[in-house]
Amino acid sequence: MSITAEYIKEKLQRELEATHIDVEDTSPNHCGSAFNVTIVSAKFEGKPLLQRHRLVNACLEEELKDIHAFSQKTLTPEQWQKQQK
């Protein structure tokens, strides 16, 4: 199965009830082996970074078996708002 940025975005949005997601396929020829992801979700409220990343990794457990590089930035809606200023 070829993993696409759109597939990752839809799955994270559904599973984490994300309010904002950016997914960039950084692999050569956009073949779905490397991604940079920014996720904004209220589910991250009160959780340290490691727990946030574990939530994302659990959501994409099967897909991460085929992805060689996965960089994630996890923010609460409040943190996202502050970054937009």
Side-chain angles (χ1 to χ4, degrees):
M1 173 179 99
S2 178
I3 299 168
T4 65
E6 189 61 31
Y7 173 84
I8 290 174
K9 181 176 182 174
E10 288 173 6
K11 185 163 187 183
L12 291 172
Q13 209 153 22
R14 185 176 60 248
E15 303 272 334
L16 298 176
E17 300 169 15
T19 56
H20 178 84
I21 299 178
D22 282 329
V23 181
E24 179 187 4
D25 186 343
T26 59
S27 53
N29 302 321
H30 301 288
C31 65
S33 64
F35 294 93
N36 285 335
V37 181
T38 301
I39 309 155
V40 180
S41 173
K43 287 192 173 190
F44 298 145
E45 296 281 352
K47 290 183 174 52
L49 186 62
L50 185 58
Q51 281 185 326
R52 295 176 185 193
H53 285 201
R54 285 180 177 159
L55 278 173
V56 174
N57 292 347
C59 177
L60 297 174
E61 184 176 5
E62 288 301 311
E63 294 79 4
L64 289 174
K65 293 176 183 176
D66 295 320
I67 295 173
H68 300 287
F70 188 79
S71 172
Q72 58 182 293
K73 186 173 188 179
T74 52
L75 303 166
T76 65
E78 183 180 346
Q79 290 170 323
W80 176 250
Q81 288 287 336
K82 287 179 183 176
Q83 282 196 359
Q84 299 310 301
K85 294 181 180 180

